[in-house]
Amino acid sequence: MQQKFTKIIIKTEGQKLTEITSEISQILITQVIENGLVTIYIKHTSASLIIQENADSDVLRDIENFFDKLVPMDESKYIHNSEGADDMPAHIKSLLTNTQLSVPMKNKKLVLGTWQGIFLFEHRLEPHDRSIEIHIIGE
């Protein structure tokens, strides 16, 4: 049994879903570990990670629109708004999604469904550099 820790920085373009499957897959190719479990963890409270369909971009737009309706950017609804109207909604959206994902790895490849991809879900309006830790454990 072996393990490896690494990280990637993803530059977001503001509030949207950004697929990061290929960035994670590139890391796996270079590892000694061939089979195991990959944990992907985002070190932020205003962005998150999800596994979602990567074939039809309408799905992503519908998800973004749904979350905007579910958690509106209305400063009058929140006490915490020290960083602007998107501050508290970003924290709530992060709470409702995931800060970490675990995905099996087989033959140095993520074991995902045919139409699945890993996405960074940026909840803030402005672009950010997001740090994602990757832990690989296996043999």
Side-chain angles (χ1 to χ4, degrees):
M1 191 66 66
Q2 299 179 44
Q3 59 181 326
K4 171 72 176 173
F5 292 90
T6 189
K7 77 174 180 177
I8 57 176
I9 304 294
I10 303 293
K11 295 180 182 302
T12 66
E13 298 174 7
Q15 192 175 55
K16 69 181 268 188
L17 284 155
T18 302
E19 187 168 8
I20 60 170
T21 310
S22 62
E23 287 87 342
I24 295 165
S25 296
Q26 288 301 314
I27 290 169
L28 302 183
I29 291 169
T30 66
Q31 302 305 310
V32 173
I33 301 169
E34 293 197 21
N35 301 297
L37 186 66
V38 180
T39 300
I40 306 139
Y41 172 72
I42 190 164
K43 297 172 69 173
H44 302 279
T45 60
S46 58
S48 56
L49 300 168
I50 65 170
I51 294 176
Q52 196 44 252
E53 179 176 328
N54 64 358
D56 185 346
S57 60
D58 287 345
V59 172
L60 304 179
R61 282 193 293 278
D62 284 342
I63 290 169
E64 292 165 355
N65 290 335
F66 172 80
F67 272 88
D68 285 343
K69 289 175 186 162
L70 183 66
V71 188
M73 245 183 276
D74 179 352
E75 290 181 86
S76 71
K77 295 184 181 295
Y78 312 106
I79 297 168
H80 175 76
N81 57 22
S82 60
E83 294 178 45
D86 66 341
D87 191 16
M88 193 61 214
H91 293 302
I92 294 171
K93 290 175 185 179
S94 180
L95 167 77
L96 295 172
T97 51
N98 301 294
T99 55
Q100 72 89 28
L101 302 169
S102 295
V103 180
M105 176 181 68
K106 184 177 180 182
N107 298 322
K108 296 190 177 196
K109 294 182 181 173
L110 295 166
V111 180
L112 292 168
T114 302
W115 309 114
Q116 287 184 320
I118 299 170
F119 292 84
L120 187 160
F121 197 173
E122 176 61 66
H123 303 303
R124 300 301 299 262
L125 293 172
E126 297 298 319
H128 285 80
D129 289 345
R130 298 300 192 176
S131 179
I132 298 174
E133 296 288 332
I134 300 168
H135 176 225
I136 306 163
I137 190 164
E139 50 191 25

